[in-house]
Amino acid sequence: MSNMFCFQCQETAGGKGCTVEGICGKSAEVAELQDNLIYITKKLCAAKVPNTNKIVVRNLFSTITNANFDTEALNHFIEETKSLIPSGFEVPELIGVMSTVDEDKRSLKELITYGLKGMAAYLYHANALGYDDETINNFMQSTLAKLLDDMDIDELIKLALLTGKFGVEVMALLDKANTETYGNPEVTKVKLGVGKNPGILISGHDFADLEQLLKQTEGTGVDVYTHGEMLPAHYYPKFKKYEHFAGNYGNAWWLQTTEFEKFNGPILLTTNCLVPPKANYKDKVFTTGVVGFEGCKHIDEVDGKKDFSALIELAKKCSPPTELEKGEIVGGFAHEQVFAVADKVIEAVKNGAIKKFVVMAGCDGRMKSRQYYADFAKALPKDVVILTAGCAKYKYIKLPLGDIGGIPRVLDAGQCNDSYSLALIALKLKEVFNLDDVNKLPIVYNIAWYEQKAVIVLLALLHLGVKNIHLGPTLPAFLSPNVAKVLVENFGIGSISNVEDDIDNMI
């Protein structure tokens, strides 16, 4: 087994790359299997094999950080993909990510690949609700095939921005799938305490899994709690009819190694954001979909349905959750909800009550440097409103930041894919204020990133023309100095420094 190399997430070792074991917890063997899976998927796309959309999407999503650590599952995906490639179509050995001589080309190819991984994640969730788009599938597959070729720098830059265009389209598709299936999010107070019943904790992003779990737990005496990125499910009208949908438990994904044990009951991981579970609760962790970890029970889909009875029976034998905190989180400020109070927001901007909006969407993580985002939120002037989506919100959504004329100073649109809502809100304000450039709005961007879904959000924002985005806590390690220079000079991408200076520069 050769040493691994992975630099796809923000926490990569030394800000350069993981070479022995992933900071995320994946082994060198898992890293190599994931690299092989991506490479063989590119070859599948180059062979133009029909009816492989779901396999391509699954393969890409499986390799996102903190999704699948299971060597057996990854080997199965590789062999299944290989079997679909026509005989006679050459499939050479994997060429390692660092073997490309031109580091700028390598950097751009990795940027595009990670964008496609994020795109696949959102398409996967839309597919689960019966929504699809052949043009998005075609783009993903043709682009994966192109990445096998030697392309010049200008071609790769154009392809990266085109990836952003389709990133907007896939987020729009998922937004349509979620809202047509579950209704438009509403302003909602989500309980943080616990009840007296045993519970099941569901984490990740997949609402289709949550809906099946809620249906199967009705009348069983088992409550369902959300964790991490599943929190925004509480904002959707259709989920509110379930009386046993009890509230949100815990915080962002990286705290699960201490919080999952205290939950006492079974935990269902529906998507990425799994941290290798500790022995004291591993027997209660179940995975489904693209998620996998050796030793954890996996719930497969059979004829479009998943059987969660094993979780329910286990929950009945467990104690109720240990309370971590009391209180509530207020959220549900997706595009339709904000549009409904647009007059109030516009008036607050015009009369100076709201000076500026700061988009603080993105990801949370375990690095101490991420405390910057909590400190930044606390230090913002009282006439600044935070627009957020994704798990980055856990750094500040529970802080007592108050409101401006009844408008909360933290407006949570939902999951990371709901950054689309924030883009729509910006475009709506541009229209209302009759501006010719979205960058003339009183909106600044201070975004935290961690993994590949944040990459597609970034590319989507660049496609929409948004400039001067601050990205942190560090710039991606996979950006070569020259590619980073292009992003800085053409789009104003900047890094963070310290709270006081950044507030002076942004606000």
Side-chain angles (χ1 to χ4, degrees), residues 189-211:
K189 294 179 180 179
V190 183
K191 182 181 176 182
L192 297 178
V194 299
K196 297 180 179 180
N197 294 332
I200 295 173
L201 186 63
I202 181 167
S203 190
H205 306 73
D206 201 285
F207 290 160
D209 288 337
L210 171 63
E211 183 176 23

Side-chain angles (χ1 to χ4, degrees), residues 3 105 122 166 480:
N3 284 343
K105 290 183 180 181
Y122 297 146
F166 281 92
S480 68

Side-chain angles (χ1 to χ4, degrees), residues 439 444-446 462 465-470 488 491-494 506:
N439 296 293
V444 294
Y445 297 80
N446 193 8
L462 296 183
V466 175
K467 293 185 177 181
N468 302 318
I469 298 170
H470 292 259
V488 170
F491 301 100
I493 297 291
M506 293 183 209

Side-chain angles (χ1 to χ4, degrees), residues 70 81 94 112 144 253 273 292 314 430:
D70 190 340
T81 306
L94 169 70
I112 294 164
L144 284 167
W253 61 273
C273 297
L314 176 58
K430 170 177 170 276

